[in-house]
């Protein structure tokens, strides 16, 4: 599993996920900081973001990837949230490889298979 941490996220995400054994890179290390979301999506297998634009692009294009892990309510980096994201990435690794939008919130995780249509599931 390879996770790309989007520009609007702290580089601490890449460090923490990487330290947990999840292959991760922050976009600032490999791409143009002014790159369009579509360019980032063309590069990534899994995008970690707080930005709703990635899900909107998937919904309007009907594509089946990349997977998007979206933090809800603008949650910022914190050890508890990081551990929740790490656990979700590990638990849903197969689904992430197949293509999903996963929303991680304070009380639940919601998963919708790509292309976006129908109802999501809750693990």
């Amino acid at each position: 599993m390879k996770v790309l941490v989007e520009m609007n996220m702290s580089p601490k995400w890449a460090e923490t996920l990487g330290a947990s054994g999840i292959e991760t890179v922050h976009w600032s290390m490999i791409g143009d900081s002014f790159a369009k979301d579509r360019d980032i999506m063309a590069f990534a297998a899994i995008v970690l973001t707080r930005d709703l634009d990635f899900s909107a692009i998937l919904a309007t294009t009907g594509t089946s990837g990349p997977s998007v892990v979206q933090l809800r309510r603008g949650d910022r980096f914190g050890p508890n949230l990081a551990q929740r994201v790490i656990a979700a990435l590990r638990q849903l690794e197969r689904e992430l490889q197949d293509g999903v939008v996963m929303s991680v919130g304070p009380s639940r995780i919601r998963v919708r298979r790509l292309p976006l249509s129908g109802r999501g599931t809750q693990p």
Side-chain angles (χ1 to χ4, degrees):
M1 167 174 26
K2 296 180 183 179
V3 176
L4 174 70
V5 179
E6 202 248 321
M7 280 298 294
N8 70 2
M9 304 286 290
S10 168
K12 290 180 186 177
W13 281 104
E15 295 168 17
T16 303
L17 270 60
S20 77
I22 296 171
E23 189 174 348
T24 309
V25 66
H26 194 273
W27 181 253
S28 65
M29 301 302 294
I30 58 170
D32 180 2
S33 62
F34 296 105
K36 296 184 185 292
D37 291 342
R38 290 180 191 269
D39 296 333
I40 294 169
M41 290 178 73
F43 178 84
I46 301 169
V47 178
L48 177 65
T49 187
R50 287 189 315 265
D51 188 348
L52 297 174
D53 291 347
F54 290 94
S55 297
I57 291 169
L58 290 170
T60 59
T61 61
T63 57
S64 58
S67 286
V68 173
V69 178
Q70 180 180 326
L71 301 183
R72 304 282 297 165
R73 299 187 197 170
D75 290 333
R76 303 216 183 265
F77 181 84
N80 292 337
L81 181 58
Q83 290 308 309
R84 186 167 168 77
V85 169
I86 290 166
L89 289 171
R90 288 187 175 139
Q91 178 184 358
L92 298 166
E93 184 171 0
R94 171 173 258 145
E95 290 85 348
L96 287 161
Q97 290 173 353
D98 292 342
V100 298
V101 173
M102 178 170 59
S103 297
V104 180
S107 61
R108 72 178 190 158
I109 297 170
R110 183 171 185 225
V111 179
R112 294 191 65 193
R113 296 190 191 288
L114 297 176
L116 291 175
S117 64
R119 295 179 47 192
T121 60
Q122 184 175 349

